[in-house]
Amino acid sequence: MSRKYRKTRPRVSESDVLPTEHCTELYPHESIIASIKDTADKLKQDQATRGDLKILDRALKELRYAFKVFTPYRKQRKVTVFGSARTLPDDPAYQQALQFGRRMAEEKWMTVTGAGPGIMEAAHVGAGTDMSMGVNIMLPFEQEPNYVIHKDEKLVNLNYFFTRKLLFVKEVHAIVCCAGGFGTQDEAFETLTLVQTGKRDPMPIVLLEAPGGTYWNDWKAYIENNLLKHELISPEDLSLFHITDDIEDAVDEIIGFYSVYNSMRYVNGRLVLRLHVEPSNEFVEQLNIEFKDILESGIITKVDAHELEMDDEHLVDLPRISLLFNRKNLGRLRQLIDRINSELAPAPGEEEEEEEE
């Protein structure tokens, strides 16, 4: 399969991830820390139980340390790979995940996994230690850090699934799900739910079918026959994920999403899309025609960076478009981003080479 996109500018992500909704002012760090302390003080007033206090204490400690680990790598594009801990090295799915991790490392993307054996180990083997990060869950069975990430400074050990799952989605720019058990299904559905409801910005979600397998295609048949057929989801929601058994197609899906699109913010109620290529006035007019259905009112326009976006200084010069999005049709928003990437992405061989830092 020929590749559609060769470069994705892997080191120009947001340094302050997932703030999505900007307030009308940027509150200083000190005031936010003071608010956290005030909340802690109120626990005494509430006469919180020992069990509740232990959960809050442990969760806060886990997230504080995890954020510390991830902060130096925030501008680096990363992909989370989910899959079974029980897949053995001689399984074709293991070798496929290994090759995928290797290909993403070649594209200068880091690979995040649950740090365990099976598919998680395979993706780390392919990516190599330098391009791997691990978010390990401490269980009495089946879960020890794999040999690639074991004792590495980019490994975080967590007691709670909910803190771990937050990191899986918050700190990355794409999700790849291989075949797995309840945990993999849970992670796939949660990621789709977060993107479908706008609680997480749009990102590529690739369901990687094992060679000759039917795991995700059978899953899609269930989705179409039981959710879509009964109008429990919308037709455009099928745009939120991509099923393939081809590694290069999976890489293309991820790379292509960021070939023009960089990130998004809500600024004073308007959605701002940051792009790597400035669209022509004619193309913006075409977008207004094709995507009028997702506008609350007004039109899509080209804008400059707002003062509330100055927290990401390295993104200030990027071109932008702004729209009053209805915040409902997230599948259509994904289609809008795909349309922009398809129209404005440079042809193969015309991409700008990334400058080394």
Side-chain angles (χ1 to χ4, degrees):
M1 178 178 293
S2 61
R3 293 180 57 204
K4 295 178 288 186
Y5 308 103
R6 188 170 67 85
K7 290 291 183 183
T8 186
R9 299 175 179 88
R11 298 193 182 96
V12 291
S13 180
E14 301 162 288
S15 56
D16 186 10
V17 294
L18 210 68
T20 301
E21 184 77 48
H22 268 316
C23 299
T24 56
E25 60 180 295
L26 296 178
Y27 294 101
H29 287 56
E30 293 77 9
S31 66
I32 301 174
I33 292 173
S35 178
I36 294 172
K37 292 179 178 178
D38 181 59
T39 299
D41 290 338
K42 290 179 180 178
L43 291 169
K44 184 176 181 179
Q45 302 173 20
D46 297 341
Q47 296 182 333
T49 66
R50 183 183 300 274
D52 291 346
L53 291 173
K54 289 177 67 176
I55 290 173
L56 288 169
D57 179 52
R58 184 65 177 266
L60 188 60
K61 286 178 178 177
E62 289 188 353
L63 290 175
R64 182 210 67 82
Y65 180 73
F67 293 160
K68 178 182 177 182
V69 171
F70 274 94
T71 294
Y73 305 96
R74 286 273 170 80
K75 293 182 183 180
Q76 176 73 45
R77 296 285 189 194
K78 294 178 285 295
V79 56
T80 290
V81 176
F82 293 127
S84 175
R86 305 183 184 189
T87 305
L88 300 177
D90 60 354
D91 192 307
Y94 183 104
Q95 296 301 317
Q96 184 187 49
L98 187 155
Q99 293 299 323
F100 175 77
R102 179 174 296 160
R103 283 291 295 110
M104 293 309 294
E106 290 173 355
E107 298 291 341
K108 301 179 182 178
W109 277 58
M110 300 187 77
T111 294
V112 180
T113 82
I119 293 297
M120 296 173 280
E121 176 185 286
H124 276 167
V125 171
T129 302
D130 290 346
M131 298 299 284
S132 294
M133 300 190 76
V135 186
N136 183 53
I137 187 72
M138 292 179 284
L139 295 175
F141 66 96
E142 202 177 65
Q143 189 79 5
E144 291 289 337
N146 62 65
Y147 71 90
V148 179
I149 200 69
H150 183 60
K151 294 184 179 180
D152 190 86
E153 64 179 10
K154 301 189 302 303
L155 171 66
V156 180
N157 293 298
L158 302 165
N159 186 62
Y160 296 127
F161 271 110
F162 71 88
T163 54
R164 183 183 189 231
K165 289 161 71 175
L166 171 64
L167 297 169
F168 275 143
V169 179
K170 174 184 182 293
E171 297 289 345
V172 304
H173 309 87
I175 299 289
V176 170
C177 296
C178 301
F182 290 149
T184 300
Q185 289 286 319
D186 173 53
E187 289 151 349
F189 274 116
E190 179 166 18
T191 303
L192 285 167
T193 300
L194 291 171
V195 172
Q196 184 208 40
T197 58
K199 290 298 184 178
R200 181 20 171 119
D201 295 352
M203 64 175 170
I205 301 172
V206 177
L207 308 180
L208 187 58
E209 197 78 272
T214 63
Y215 183 96
W216 289 114
N217 282 292
D218 290 345
W219 175 91
K220 184 181 179 183
Y222 167 81
I223 296 297
E224 292 177 335
N225 293 331
N226 294 277
L227 278 65
L228 182 62
K229 181 179 179 180
H230 298 288
E231 300 183 350
L232 302 176
I233 61 172
S234 302
E236 60 263 27
D237 290 333
L238 299 181
S239 298
L240 299 178
F241 61 87
H242 178 70
I243 298 177
T244 184
D245 63 357
D246 186 279
I247 291 175
E248 290 304 317
D249 185 40
V251 173
D252 282 346
E253 174 71 6
I254 295 169
I255 299 302
F257 186 80
Y258 295 101
S259 59
V260 176
Y261 171 81
N262 177 278
S263 54
M264 58 175 261
R265 282 287 191 279
Y266 284 99
V267 180
N268 292 335
R270 293 186 64 87
L271 178 61
V272 176
L273 302 184
R274 298 138 158 192
L275 310 175
H276 290 290
V277 179
E278 181 175 356
S280 67
N281 293 333
E282 292 75 16
F283 181 56
V284 173
E285 290 179 6
Q286 187 63 36
L287 292 179
N288 274 296
I289 295 172
E290 294 179 21
F291 294 93
K292 182 179 180 180
D293 58 301
I294 68 173
L295 300 178
E296 190 71 31
S297 63
I299 61 174
I300 302 172
T301 60
K302 293 195 288 187
V303 295
D304 295 325
H306 193 277
E307 61 180 6
L308 293 177
E309 297 182 85
M310 297 303 169
D311 52 334
D312 274 317
E313 295 181 2
H314 63 296
L315 304 180
V316 169
D317 293 333
L318 291 183
R320 287 159 164 76
I321 61 172
S322 172
L323 59 148
L324 196 59
F325 178 50
N326 64 17
R327 304 200 186 200
K328 179 176 66 174
N329 300 110
L330 275 300
R332 286 286 286 154
L333 178 61
R334 169 61 198 259
Q335 292 173 359
L336 169 63
I337 294 172
D338 287 344
R339 179 75 171 89
I340 291 170
N341 285 324
S342 176
E343 177 72 20
L344 302 180
E350 295 182 358
E351 302 90 340
E352 296 180 3
E353 293 292 330
E354 180 196 8
E355 295 183 3
E356 294 295 331
E357 296 180 353

